[in-house]
């Protein structure tokens, strides 16, 4: 008797990234850096938030002295919001962003995104979620249709690896042995990207 098993799923950590109004002109350049850093852009949306929406998004900052300027700044022009996915997405994105103060970032983290594209302490070019829980909350705020999977454990994770990861990896290693490239690690990485059967599709949601 054949036992039918549901298609296994595996969780990939996600975080919310926002290109703020002062950096919107560098959108394509920033996206290229994001992709080069190992992230997948799962969803993307260009929109302009109202002051009320900004107040709700930054509700945890309510009462702080900079709050009125923050909401005014974030509602001053269009933004690009993206759901980024990769292993340890939240921490890697925070590291790529650098310090929240762009002026300080230029001194301590000169190659960070905020050092490159931010203006000052308030207008720092980009937003990143502070934790996994805040990422989930912020993604649902910007992308209410988003489905965030629970983290699989035990047999579900093993099933996914056996069905989807190991066959692709084995095929890649076999091709590597036949090709015998000068730099096997880079060749294998490129091969896996090209032949990834579960490569997420980039989705655009444009709001006028």
């Amino acid at each position: 008797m054949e036992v039918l098993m549901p298609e296994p799923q595996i969780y990939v950590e996600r975080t919310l990234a926002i290109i703020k109004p002062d950096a919107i002109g560098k959108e394509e350049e920033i996206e290229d850096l994001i992709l080069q850093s190992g992230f997948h852009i799962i969803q993307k949306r260009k929109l302009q938030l109202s002051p009320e929406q900004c107040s709700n998004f930054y509700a945890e900052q309510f009462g702080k002295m900079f709050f009125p300027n923050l909401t005014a700044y974030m509602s001053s022009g269009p933004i690009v919001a993206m759901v980024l996915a990769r292993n340890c997405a939240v921490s890697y994105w925070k590291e790529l962003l650098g310090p929240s103060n762009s002026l300080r970032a230029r001194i301590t983290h000169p190659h960070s995104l905020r050092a490159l594209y931010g203006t000052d302490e308030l207008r720092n070019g980009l937003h990143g979620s502070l934790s996994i829980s805040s990422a989930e909350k912020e993604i649902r705020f910007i992308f209410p249709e988003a489905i965030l999977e629970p983290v699989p454990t035990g047999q579900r994770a093993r099933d996914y690896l056996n069905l989807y990861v190991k066959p692709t990896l084995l095929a890649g290693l076999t091709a590597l042995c036949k090709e015998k490239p000068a730099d096997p690690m880079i060749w294998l990485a490129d091969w896996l990207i090209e032949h990834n059967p579960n490569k997420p599709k980039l989705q655009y949601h444009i709001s006028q």
Side-chain angles (χ1 to χ4, degrees):
M1 179 177 170
E2 183 179 359
V3 178
L4 298 177
M5 295 178 59
E7 182 176 314
Q9 297 179 343
I10 194 165
Y11 173 84
V12 177
E13 190 172 295
R14 300 180 185 184
T15 190
L16 182 71
I18 294 178
I19 302 176
K20 297 181 179 181
D22 58 320
I24 198 75
K26 299 293 185 179
E27 175 187 347
E28 292 186 8
E29 192 174 306
I30 293 171
E31 287 181 27
D32 286 343
L33 290 172
I34 289 172
L35 295 173
Q36 291 170 19
S37 300
F39 292 93
H40 290 292
I41 301 175
I42 302 300
Q43 289 179 284
K44 176 182 174 181
R45 183 182 182 192
K46 189 173 185 178
L47 70 161
Q48 183 162 351
L49 297 174
S50 67
E52 181 181 4
Q53 288 173 318
C54 290
S55 296
N56 291 333
F57 184 80
Y58 287 105
E60 293 181 359
Q61 307 293 340
F62 182 78
K64 296 183 179 179
M65 290 185 63
F66 61 82
F67 184 77
N69 289 335
L70 175 63
T71 56
Y73 157 55
M74 288 299 293
S75 60
S76 65
I79 62 172
V80 173
M82 294 170 283
V83 179
L84 307 184
R86 64 160 292 169
N87 181 44
C88 300
V90 173
S91 59
Y92 274 112
W93 179 237
K94 286 163 62 178
E95 181 180 349
L96 188 61
L97 285 176
S100 59
N101 186 329
S102 293
L103 300 176
R104 185 181 301 116
R106 291 191 186 102
I107 299 172
T108 61
H109 298 72
H111 301 295
S112 67
L113 294 182
R114 284 174 173 155
L116 295 172
Y117 300 105
T119 305
D120 51 35
E121 183 174 6
L122 176 65
R123 297 171 295 167
N124 59 6
L126 297 108
H127 167 85
S129 304
L130 295 176
S131 64
I132 294 176
S133 60
S134 63
E136 292 177 353
K137 180 181 178 181
E138 291 173 356
I139 289 171
R140 288 194 177 97
F141 185 94
I142 301 293
F143 300 93
E145 76 284 2
I147 299 175
L148 303 177
E149 307 93 341
V151 179
T153 57
Q155 190 60 45
R156 284 185 62 207
R158 289 191 289 273
D159 288 341
Y160 182 92
L161 293 173
N162 289 331
L163 288 174
Y164 296 100
V165 177
K166 290 183 178 179
T168 302
L169 184 58
L170 180 60
L173 292 172
T174 301
L176 174 68
C177 292
K178 293 179 179 178
E179 187 72 21
K180 296 181 175 62
D183 194 329
M185 295 305 295
I186 292 179
W187 187 94
L188 180 61
D190 291 340
W191 189 97
L192 289 172
I193 292 172
E194 183 180 352
H195 295 84
N196 177 11
N198 304 305
K199 186 175 182 180
K201 296 180 180 179
L202 182 61
Q203 301 177 5
Y204 289 87
H205 301 268
I206 307 297
S207 298
Q208 300 296 331

